[in-house]
Amino acid sequence: MDGEALQRHAREVAASLEGVSHGRPFTPHLDVWKVHGKVFLIVTDDDPDLQIITVKVDPPHGDALRRDIETITVGHYLDKKHWISVGPGTGVTKNLISDLVHDSYDLAGDRARQEQS
């Protein structure tokens, strides 16, 4: 999966989820997806050499992914413990991207619900 396909798939998955909004609140080059006002996906579109997505993760899961897949790094732009950035490469599949976007959506949504309680 190349970077363009990775980003397109992440956007498609995010758009299919309930209660999602998106826009470009930080810069025109970052496509930001939110659930209940909380960011769960950032798609970087200004650099063809950095075609990545950034998602929220449970820290131990993020550590394992970074260890096992070379093109998964600490999150750009956000907290390095709770976010990872994913670029195209070996081991990055549509299923992995779908799972990461769904998990990030769930984590961000859970956090928003906890803050409302």
Side-chain angles (χ1 to χ4, degrees):
M1 171 179 284
D2 67 16
E4 188 175 315
L6 180 156
Q7 291 178 322
R8 182 176 49 253
H9 185 64
R11 283 183 174 110
E12 289 169 357
V13 172
S16 74
L17 299 170
E18 188 175 323
V20 168
S21 64
H22 85 282
R24 297 175 183 267
F26 306 126
T27 171
H29 306 296
L30 296 178
D31 191 12
V32 178
W33 296 77
K34 296 180 180 183
V35 58
H36 303 296
K38 298 294 180 184
V39 174
F40 73 95
L41 170 66
I42 298 175
V43 181
T44 303
D45 357 294
D46 65 333
D47 186 347
D49 294 326
L50 189 65
Q51 291 181 310
I52 62 169
I53 64 167
T54 301
V55 292
K56 190 171 187 70
V57 293
D58 181 53
H61 187 220
D63 291 344
L65 289 166
R66 285 194 308 274
R67 181 191 64 232
D68 295 341
I69 300 176
E70 184 177 319
T71 58
I72 295 180
T73 61
V74 295
H76 287 261
Y77 323 113
L78 300 164
D79 177 279
K80 306 301 184 200
K81 181 177 179 183
H82 295 277
W83 293 84
I84 57 171
S85 290
V86 182
T90 303
V92 177
T93 64
K94 276 187 159 185
N95 286 340
L96 176 63
I97 297 304
S98 294
D99 289 347
L100 290 173
V101 172
H102 279 101
D103 289 350
S104 184
Y105 170 88
D106 290 343
L107 286 167
D110 287 348
R111 180 171 171 228
R113 282 187 289 279
Q114 288 173 357
E115 289 177 0
Q116 291 173 354
S117 298

